[in-house]
Amino acid sequence: MVHCRAMSDWIPVIGLEVHAELETGSKMFSPCPVVDSVEAAPNSAVDVVSLGLPGTLPVINRRAMEYGMMVGLALNCEIPPVNRFDRKSYFYPDLPKGYQISQYEHPLAINGHVDIGLADGRCKRIRVRRAHMEEDTGKLTHVAGGFSLVDYNRAGVPLLEIVTEPDLASAAEAEAFARDLRAILRWLGVNSGDMSKGVLRFEANVSLRQPDDPDLRTRTEIKNLNSIRHMTRAIESELRRQRRLYEKGEELRQATLGWDEDAQRIVVQRYKERADEYRYFPEPDLPVVEVSEAWVHEVRARIPEMPAARRQRFMDEQGLQAADAQQLTSERAVADFYEAVLESGIEAQVAANWICGALFALMNARETPRETIGELRFGAAAFAALLRMVVDGTLNRGTATAVLEAMWESGADPQQIVRERGLAQISDSDVIEETVDQVLAQQVQLVERYRAGETKLLGALMGQAMKALRGQGNPAAVRQALQQRLDV
Ligand code: ADP
Ligand code: MG
């Protein structure tokens, strides 16, 4: 008899496999340069080792190992004292040697975890099973007429494969993990996180289970997900597909799947009848890598304060709210900029307000990514000088925003802009009172309505007075002058 289960009984089980290229100058096993595989001319960064020509020998890239260790440590992994490379054999035209040098039994890093934030504010620990070093393959482009073009620029680029335990219980959790992992890689400066260029790639293993199942069930694997959003939608769609199958009483077949983003549909690429046979064996051309405690210690010392720790410090030591602290640690460059503004003597909340407010608004309007905040025409010291003029009353919010825009265009220093444009705030009570008198004389109707009880009209009168003062009036002084005259 077919057992029908209610939809709500099914619990998603998801594990991620992540491939991250490491941004070293040269490839994993040779001095051949690593280039941008989208921008560079095809096959312009290829040498005898990345082509796997007979008689060539690989040499391990120390920097790549250290980048991998940094990621492992940032993911709270252990770094075992011995790690070894293995040959993983398979035939495909993007793999000229006929095998990939990878790690199997002795990976670089094991037993880590990432604590992700859930929508309800709680944290959940996702275990990281392992992270191992390998080399990337070349890239195939299929063209009309049944031909494929191959570009070996990417062949041999250092690649770190990170594998989680199947601890993720929803597409949303998988998304949160992916975003945190991407942020960690970017923060460490080992990977740009640019998924459109394929430097970071996710594969999702997906199954469903019942609360009383003794073991995990058959899973499918979704490959080639080239954005976090696509991954999330693909997982949701696959969970629905599996649920429908089980509810019809059918079996799920283990399969490799793709995601068709245009059709919003899962595509079966191949069914897996048995495990792939890669004939792993120790790579005879490379030594075993012994990782001493001293080396791990040295690499650990190079890891910057990570986003979660920095966020907490901004809250504990500087009294910021979680939302501001979160925004200011979204990119390492933003956190650095913010702290440099504080070093110029600006109060934490003022700096946070102006960075998350006016500056981010301007950066959005000019389509400038936040990670480039350190490369604007003005630096943190000039931004701090602008804020000092707000704090001491030289500028009001509106004029400060105008000065910020001028700094953006010319890179000129804010005091100079204020001097040249005569933007300093008008606090002189004679000037303000004279202007307010003129405005009230012109706006007889508004004044009558205000006095008849429409007190909301104070805003409109404020606007007129500020306009007459070319936006430079001290708002508190203008308001006071208006009220004194209106409320008699
Ligand atoms: P291997 O491919 O080496 O046999 P596993 O199959 O155990 O390794 O795991 C590969 C990935 O699939 C891991 O990220 C793991 O968390 C995930 N995974 C394993 N079993 C399941 C399952 N039943 N449902 C969902 N994900 C799974
Ligand atoms: Mg692999």
Side-chain angles (χ1 to χ4, degrees):
M1 205 191 94
V2 174
H3 228 64
C4 285
R5 301 273 201 167
M7 295 279 266
S8 55
D9 285 356
W10 295 104
I11 303 165
V13 179
I14 303 157
L16 296 180
E17 290 171 277
V18 187
H19 284 94
E21 284 183 0
L22 299 176
E23 277 178 0
T24 48
S26 57
K27 291 189 179 178
M28 187 65 218
F29 300 113
S30 74
C32 182
V34 170
V35 295
D36 184 316
S37 68
V38 174
E39 310 275 315
N43 298 306
S44 58
V46 173
D47 69 343
V48 290
V49 175
S50 27
L51 283 179
L53 297 188
T56 58
L57 288 172
V59 177
I60 300 170
N61 181 335
R62 184 185 178 95
R63 167 77 51 89
M65 296 298 286
E66 293 181 346
Y67 279 6
M69 280 159 71
M70 283 168 73
V71 177
L73 292 169
L75 301 178
N76 305 294
C77 290
E78 299 159 34
I79 309 294
V82 168
N83 75 84
R84 190 185 76 197
F85 287 92
D86 298 287
R87 281 192 188 180
K88 178 182 181 178
S89 301
Y90 64 95
F91 176 76
Y92 208 64
D94 63 6
L95 186 68
K97 291 198 295 293
Y99 60 86
Q100 180 189 32
I101 304 179
S102 182
Q103 294 186 319
Y104 191 55
E105 279 170 30
H106 297 282
L108 182 63
I110 55 171
N111 298 338
H113 64 262
V114 177
D115 291 326
I116 59 167
L118 303 180
D120 63 8
R122 284 179 308 128
C123 264
K124 178 170 173 182
R125 178 155 295 185
I126 307 303
R127 291 169 299 159
V128 173
R129 180 183 295 175
R130 57 187 275 149
H132 68 251
M133 296 295 310
E134 54 188 32
E135 53 180 337
D136 211 345
T137 60
K139 213 164 60 175
L140 287 177
T141 307
H142 306 292
V143 293
F147 295 99
S148 294
L149 304 172
V150 64
D151 175 8
Y152 288 125
N153 283 349
R154 218 179 63 176
V157 170
L159 195 64
L160 187 70
E161 178 170 339
I162 302 158
V163 182
T164 77
E165 293 294 341
D167 289 347
L168 299 153
S170 67
E173 288 184 12
E175 178 178 2
F177 178 88
R179 292 201 187 285
D180 282 359
L181 178 60
R182 180 174 179 275
I184 289 168
L185 294 169
R186 285 178 50 77
W187 194 276
L188 290 171
V190 301
N191 182 290
S192 68
D194 190 345
M195 292 184 65
S196 69
K197 286 191 171 166
V199 300
L200 179 63
R201 314 191 286 269
F202 287 88
E203 290 163 20
N205 295 273
V206 180
S207 69
L208 287 173
R209 69 180 182 88
Q210 287 289 322
D212 51 3
D213 281 352
D215 299 307
L216 294 181
R217 296 187 180 217
T218 303
R219 66 185 158 100
T220 54
E221 181 176 4
I222 319 171
K223 294 227 178 229
N224 300 329
L225 297 162
N226 49 23
S227 86
I228 292 177
R229 188 156 303 154
H230 293 186
M231 179 190 79
T232 310
R233 281 201 283 260
I235 292 172
E236 280 165 354
S237 172
E238 174 58 7
L239 288 169
R240 283 195 297 273
R241 190 184 73 94
Q242 292 189 9
R243 224 170 256 163
R244 276 198 304 271
L245 274 177
Y246 284 129
E247 273 153 21
K248 282 193 287 184
E250 288 174 24
E251 288 283 300
L252 180 73
R253 291 170 72 191
Q254 189 169 351
T256 301
L257 311 174
W259 172 245
D260 181 342
E261 174 64 20
D262 294 332
Q264 295 284 301
R265 231 164 44 86
I266 288 287
V267 191
V268 177
Q269 288 173 346
R270 67 192 174 101
Y271 288 104
K272 273 194 174 175
E273 303 307 337
R274 62 188 110 83
D276 296 312
E277 181 45 76
Y278 292 120
R279 309 192 317 277
Y280 279 104
F281 67 93
E283 167 59 62
D285 290 340
L286 288 173
V288 163
V289 182
E290 287 181 22
V291 184
S292 67
E293 268 178 46
W295 192 19
V296 175
H297 189 75
E298 192 189 309
V299 171
R300 193 189 290 279
R302 270 183 252 161
I303 296 180
E305 186 184 19
M306 296 304 286
R310 212 159 172 185
R311 194 174 309 145
Q312 200 58 47
R313 184 164 59 79
F314 288 176
M315 291 163 70
D316 295 345
E317 290 178 12
Q318 297 157 11
L320 294 190
Q321 299 294 309
D324 285 340
Q326 171 72 40
Q327 286 217 62
L328 292 170
T329 52
S330 59
E331 291 288 343
R332 187 169 160 191
V334 171
D336 287 345
F337 187 89
Y338 162 74
E339 291 210 282
V341 172
L342 298 196
E343 266 165 38
S344 301
I346 300 297
E347 199 212 319
Q349 193 59 55
V350 174
N353 290 348
W354 280 85
I355 293 170
C356 298
L359 184 51
F360 281 174
L362 189 56
M363 292 179 79
N364 287 349
R366 307 291 157 96
E367 295 180 7
T368 304
R370 290 191 185 167
E371 69 260 25
T372 61
I373 195 169
E375 298 151 36
L376 303 176
R377 288 214 179 84
F378 56 88
F383 189 72
L386 172 71
L387 301 195
R388 212 168 297 120
M389 286 191 279
V390 176
V391 175
D392 71 16
T394 308
L395 298 176
N396 63 32
R397 185 187 293 268
T399 44
T401 306
V403 173
L404 181 60
E405 281 179 33
M407 290 163 71
W408 181 282
E409 302 304 339
S410 67
D413 111 338
Q415 285 101 338
Q416 186 192 339
I417 295 168
V418 169
R419 234 178 295 120
E420 280 175 8
R421 304 195 182 182
L423 285 172
Q425 178 162 273
I426 300 165
S427 300
D428 180 330
S429 54
D430 288 347
V431 178
I432 289 177
E433 284 171 16
E434 194 181 315
T435 310
V436 163
D437 286 336
Q438 281 167 10
V439 167
L440 294 180
Q442 284 158 7
Q443 305 291 341
V444 189
Q445 283 195 331
L446 285 184
V447 172
E448 273 176 19
R449 285 167 56 198
Y450 177 91
R451 291 202 171 119
E454 280 187 69
T455 51
K456 279 205 308 281
L457 291 174
L458 183 66
L461 291 163
M462 265 296 285
Q464 294 289 339
M466 286 299 277
K467 193 168 148 200
L469 289 161
R470 302 198 331 270
Q472 288 163 245
N474 175 328
V478 175
R479 180 179 296 269
Q480 197 191 1
L482 270 170
Q483 247 157 357
Q484 268 173 6
R485 283 159 179 71
L486 289 165
D487 295 340
V488 283

